[in-house]
Amino acid sequence: QVQLVESGGGLVQPGGSLRLSCAASGFTFSSYVMSWVRQAPGKGLEWVSDINSDGLSTYYADSVKGRFTVSRDNAKNTLYLQMNSLRPEDTAVYYCATKRGRAKYTIGLCTADFASWGQGTQVTVSS
């Protein structure tokens, strides 16, 4: 069965960096658009980034553009999110997900657009 396992979260000071990983198994990872989605405390799900199946096209929410970089290693079945210049407002649980349809800039997340989800990894940005 499809399995997505995130790792790499933790506590970091404002201005710091983290790299999240998402290990995929149970499906043909290289054929799927992948996404990162986050949920801040007390808030709804927020789309963060998409990457297409070959990794050549990437899309970002305005709130993270220029600070976060999504990438993938299809040989290792792993998705990454490099997060730099972290801010307190980036505090959230971060999820990786397989996306239905094409990779794109997304406004107004719809959970039906995502087929499978990981369990999430907590990122806390605080001094």
Side-chain angles (χ1 to χ4, degrees):
Q1 71 278 19
V2 173
Q3 191 169 16
L4 299 169
V5 180
E6 300 95 336
S7 61
L11 173 64
V12 63
Q13 292 187 341
S17 298
L18 283 174
R19 188 175 85 152
L20 306 184
S21 299
C22 171
S25 61
F27 66 105
T28 306
F29 178 74
S30 59
S31 296
Y32 281 77
V33 172
M34 297 296 297
S35 301
W36 285 101
V37 175
R38 67 185 182 185
Q39 186 168 28
K43 296 189 176 181
L45 293 168
E46 177 189 14
W47 173 78
V48 173
S49 181
D50 277 4
I51 185 168
N52 73 341
S53 58
D54 62 10
L56 295 182
S57 295
T58 58
Y59 303 85
Y60 299 94
D62 291 346
S63 57
V64 307
K65 194 169 186 178
R67 301 187 297 122
F68 291 10
T69 302
V70 62
S71 62
R72 64 192 297 162
D73 185 335
N74 285 343
K76 295 182 178 179
N77 290 346
T78 304
L79 176 72
Y80 302 100
L81 186 68
Q82 177 67 44
M83 304 186 297
N84 298 328
S85 303
L86 282 161
R87 305 167 179 169
E89 54 264 39
D90 295 318
T91 295
V93 177
Y94 284 72
Y95 300 92
C96 63
T98 59
K99 193 168 191 180
R100 297 186 174 102
R102 62 182 181 87
K104 61 181 180 178
Y105 176 77
T106 300
I107 298 176
L109 183 146
C110 176
T111 55
D113 289 340
F114 303 93
S116 300
W117 298 78
Q119 84 289 348
T121 187
Q122 176 71 48
V123 171
T124 302
V125 185
S126 175
S127 55

mmCIF file of all heavy atoms in Angstrom, residues 62-82:
data_model
loop_
_atom_site.group_PDB
_atom_site.id
_atom_site.type_symbol
_atom_site.label_atom_id
_atom_site.label_comp_id
_atom_site.label_asym_id
_atom_site.label_seq_id
_atom_site.Cartn_x
_atom_site.Cartn_y
_atom_site.Cartn_z
ATOM 1 N N ASP A 62 2.899 31.918 -2.195
ATOM 2 C CA ASP A 62 3.556 33.230 -2.086
ATOM 3 C C ASP A 62 4.256 33.381 -0.741
ATOM 4 O O ASP A 62 5.290 34.040 -0.650
ATOM 5 C CB ASP A 62 2.522 34.336 -2.257
ATOM 6 C CG ASP A 62 1.977 34.416 -3.663
ATOM 7 O OD1 ASP A 62 2.569 33.816 -4.582
ATOM 8 O OD2 ASP A 62 0.928 35.063 -3.846
ATOM 9 N N SER A 63 3.709 32.756 0.288
ATOM 10 C CA SER A 63 4.248 32.911 1.641
ATOM 11 C C SER A 63 5.614 32.249 1.810
ATOM 12 O O SER A 63 6.327 32.569 2.769
ATOM 13 C CB SER A 63 3.269 32.319 2.659
ATOM 14 O OG SER A 63 3.005 30.961 2.371
ATOM 15 N N VAL A 64 5.986 31.341 0.918
ATOM 16 C CA VAL A 64 7.261 30.636 1.069
ATOM 17 C C VAL A 64 8.187 30.840 -0.119
ATOM 18 O O VAL A 64 9.354 30.424 -0.070
ATOM 19 C CB VAL A 64 7.050 29.119 1.299
ATOM 20 C CG1 VAL A 64 6.086 28.882 2.459
ATOM 21 C CG2 VAL A 64 6.553 28.427 0.039
ATOM 22 N N LYS A 65 7.697 31.441 -1.170
ATOM 23 C CA LYS A 65 8.498 31.586 -2.387
ATOM 24 C C LYS A 65 9.767 32.375 -2.086
ATOM 25 O O LYS A 65 9.730 33.395 -1.409
ATOM 26 C CB LYS A 65 7.674 32.266 -3.476
ATOM 27 C CG LYS A 65 8.305 32.164 -4.858
ATOM 28 C CD LYS A 65 7.339 32.620 -5.933
ATOM 29 C CE LYS A 65 7.922 32.384 -7.312
ATOM 30 N NZ LYS A 65 6.977 32.789 -8.393
ATOM 31 N N GLY A 66 10.884 31.866 -2.598
ATOM 32 C CA GLY A 66 12.175 32.503 -2.358
ATOM 33 C C GLY A 66 12.865 32.020 -1.111
ATOM 34 O O GLY A 66 14.059 32.282 -0.916
ATOM 35 N N ARG A 67 12.148 31.292 -0.246
ATOM 36 C CA ARG A 67 12.733 30.778 0.996
ATOM 37 C C ARG A 67 12.760 29.246 1.014
ATOM 38 O O ARG A 67 13.655 28.647 1.605
ATOM 39 C CB ARG A 67 11.947 31.273 2.206
ATOM 40 C CG ARG A 67 11.900 32.779 2.329
ATOM 41 C CD ARG A 67 11.245 33.210 3.645
ATOM 42 N NE ARG A 67 9.857 32.783 3.739
ATOM 43 C CZ ARG A 67 9.380 32.008 4.710
ATOM 44 N NH1 ARG A 67 10.182 31.562 5.670
ATOM 45 N NH2 ARG A 67 8.087 31.676 4.727
ATOM 46 N N PHE A 68 11.776 28.626 0.405
ATOM 47 C CA PHE A 68 11.659 27.159 0.393
ATOM 48 C C PHE A 68 11.978 26.635 -0.999
ATOM 49 O O PHE A 68 11.669 27.285 -2.006
ATOM 50 C CB PHE A 68 10.257 26.713 0.759
ATOM 51 C CG PHE A 68 9.839 26.944 2.191
ATOM 52 C CD1 PHE A 68 10.595 27.700 3.066
ATOM 53 C CD2 PHE A 68 8.655 26.374 2.661
ATOM 54 C CE1 PHE A 68 10.212 27.892 4.378
ATOM 55 C CE2 PHE A 68 8.249 26.554 3.975
ATOM 56 C CZ PHE A 68 9.034 27.328 4.824
ATOM 57 N N THR A 69 12.564 25.452 -1.039
ATOM 58 C CA THR A 69 12.860 24.791 -2.306
ATOM 59 C C THR A 69 12.439 23.330 -2.232
ATOM 60 O O THR A 69 12.878 22.600 -1.336
ATOM 61 C CB THR A 69 14.358 24.851 -2.638
ATOM 62 O OG1 THR A 69 14.783 26.215 -2.682
ATOM 63 C CG2 THR A 69 14.640 24.194 -3.981
ATOM 64 N N VAL A 70 11.575 22.937 -3.148
ATOM 65 C CA VAL A 70 11.139 21.540 -3.221
ATOM 66 C C VAL A 70 11.996 20.812 -4.255
ATOM 67 O O VAL A 70 12.388 21.384 -5.280
ATOM 68 C CB VAL A 70 9.644 21.447 -3.581
ATOM 69 C CG1 VAL A 70 9.342 22.036 -4.950
ATOM 70 C CG2 VAL A 70 9.151 20.010 -3.480
ATOM 71 N N SER A 71 12.294 19.560 -3.964
ATOM 72 C CA SER A 71 13.055 18.737 -4.902
ATOM 73 C C SER A 71 12.691 17.275 -4.670
ATOM 74 O O SER A 71 11.999 16.953 -3.700
ATOM 75 C CB SER A 71 14.567 18.948 -4.744
ATOM 76 O OG SER A 71 14.987 18.566 -3.454
ATOM 77 N N ARG A 72 13.147 16.437 -5.564
ATOM 78 C CA ARG A 72 12.873 15.009 -5.429
ATOM 79 C C ARG A 72 14.015 14.213 -6.018
ATOM 80 O O ARG A 72 14.698 14.667 -6.935
ATOM 81 C CB ARG A 72 11.554 14.649 -6.106
ATOM 82 C CG ARG A 72 11.528 14.851 -7.601
ATOM 83 C CD ARG A 72 10.107 14.760 -8.143
ATOM 84 N NE ARG A 72 9.518 13.448 -7.937
ATOM 85 C CZ ARG A 72 8.198 13.202 -7.997
ATOM 86 N NH1 ARG A 72 7.349 14.201 -8.238
ATOM 87 N NH2 ARG A 72 7.743 11.973 -7.815
ATOM 88 N N ASP A 73 14.192 13.015 -5.466
ATOM 89 C CA ASP A 73 15.160 12.062 -5.998
ATOM 90 C C ASP A 73 14.371 10.806 -6.340
ATOM 91 O O ASP A 73 14.038 10.012 -5.449
ATOM 92 C CB ASP A 73 16.240 11.775 -4.966
ATOM 93 C CG ASP A 73 17.357 10.882 -5.503
ATOM 94 O OD1 ASP A 73 17.098 10.124 -6.458
ATOM 95 O OD2 ASP A 73 18.464 10.925 -4.967
ATOM 96 N N ASN A 74 14.044 10.649 -7.600
ATOM 97 C CA ASN A 74 13.210 9.518 -7.998
ATOM 98 C C ASN A 74 13.934 8.184 -7.851
ATOM 99 O O ASN A 74 13.289 7.146 -7.688
ATOM 100 C CB ASN A 74 12.720 9.703 -9.423
ATOM 101 C CG ASN A 74 11.615 10.744 -9.514
ATOM 102 O OD1 ASN A 74 11.006 11.102 -8.505
ATOM 103 N ND2 ASN A 74 11.359 11.247 -10.713
ATOM 104 N N ALA A 75 15.250 8.206 -7.876
ATOM 105 C CA ALA A 75 16.010 6.971 -7.663
ATOM 106 C C ALA A 75 15.898 6.500 -6.213
ATOM 107 O O ALA A 75 15.995 5.298 -5.933
ATOM 108 C CB ALA A 75 17.463 7.171 -8.043
ATOM 109 N N LYS A 76 15.701 7.448 -5.317
ATOM 110 C CA LYS A 76 15.587 7.121 -3.890
ATOM 111 C C LYS A 76 14.145 7.170 -3.393
ATOM 112 O O LYS A 76 13.895 6.997 -2.196
ATOM 113 C CB LYS A 76 16.445 8.076 -3.065
ATOM 114 C CG LYS A 76 17.938 7.953 -3.333
ATOM 115 C CD LYS A 76 18.731 8.897 -2.442
ATOM 116 C CE LYS A 76 20.229 8.732 -2.669
ATOM 117 N NZ LYS A 76 21.023 9.660 -1.824
ATOM 118 N N ASN A 77 13.204 7.460 -4.293
ATOM 119 C CA ASN A 77 11.788 7.562 -3.897
ATOM 120 C C ASN A 77 11.594 8.536 -2.740
ATOM 121 O O ASN A 77 10.874 8.251 -1.771
ATOM 122 C CB ASN A 77 11.223 6.183 -3.519
ATOM 123 C CG ASN A 77 11.060 5.259 -4.707
ATOM 124 O OD1 ASN A 77 11.118 5.699 -5.861
ATOM 125 N ND2 ASN A 77 10.876 3.988 -4.441
ATOM 126 N N THR A 78 12.226 9.672 -2.840
ATOM 127 C CA THR A 78 12.202 10.632 -1.743
ATOM 128 C C THR A 78 11.933 12.043 -2.249
ATOM 129 O O THR A 78 12.491 12.473 -3.255
ATOM 130 C CB THR A 78 13.521 10.596 -0.961
ATOM 131 O OG1 THR A 78 13.771 9.268 -0.504
ATOM 132 C CG2 THR A 78 13.465 11.529 0.241
ATOM 133 N N LEU A 79 11.086 12.722 -1.518
ATOM 134 C CA LEU A 79 10.731 14.118 -1.743
ATOM 135 C C LEU A 79 11.386 14.950 -0.648
ATOM 136 O O LEU A 79 11.472 14.505 0.500
ATOM 137 C CB LEU A 79 9.210 14.268 -1.681
ATOM 138 C CG LEU A 79 8.611 15.650 -1.788
ATOM 139 C CD1 LEU A 79 8.741 16.173 -3.219
ATOM 140 C CD2 LEU A 79 7.143 15.627 -1.359
ATOM 141 N N TYR A 80 11.810 16.161 -0.997
ATOM 142 C CA TYR A 80 12.466 17.037 -0.031
ATOM 143 C C TYR A 80 11.821 18.418 -0.016
ATOM 144 O O TYR A 80 11.224 18.859 -0.996
ATOM 145 C CB TYR A 80 13.950 17.210 -0.392
ATOM 146 C CG TYR A 80 14.729 15.923 -0.462
ATOM 147 C CD1 TYR A 80 15.011 15.322 -1.691
ATOM 148 C CD2 TYR A 80 15.189 15.315 0.694
ATOM 149 C CE1 TYR A 80 15.721 14.139 -1.770
ATOM 150 C CE2 TYR A 80 15.905 14.126 0.631
ATOM 151 C CZ TYR A 80 16.169 13.543 -0.598
ATOM 152 O OH TYR A 80 16.874 12.368 -0.665
ATOM 153 N N LEU A 81 11.987 19.092 1.112
ATOM 154 C CA LEU A 81 11.633 20.499 1.206
ATOM 155 C C LEU A 81 12.736 21.190 2.013
ATOM 156 O O LEU A 81 12.840 20.975 3.217
ATOM 157 C CB LEU A 81 10.272 20.710 1.871
ATOM 158 C CG LEU A 81 9.784 22.159 1.872
ATOM 159 C CD1 LEU A 81 9.466 22.612 0.448
ATOM 160 C CD2 LEU A 81 8.539 22.307 2.757
ATOM 161 N N GLN A 82 13.546 21.987 1.323
ATOM 162 C CA GLN A 82 14.567 22.784 1.981
ATOM 163 C C GLN A 82 13.936 24.100 2.395
ATOM 164 O O GLN A 82 13.407 24.832 1.545
ATOM 165 C CB GLN A 82 15.745 23.034 1.032
ATOM 166 C CG GLN A 82 16.829 23.916 1.621
ATOM 167 C CD GLN A 82 17.555 23.256 2.779
ATOM 168 O OE1 GLN A 82 17.907 22.082 2.711
ATOM 169 N NE2 GLN A 82 17.795 24.007 3.845
#
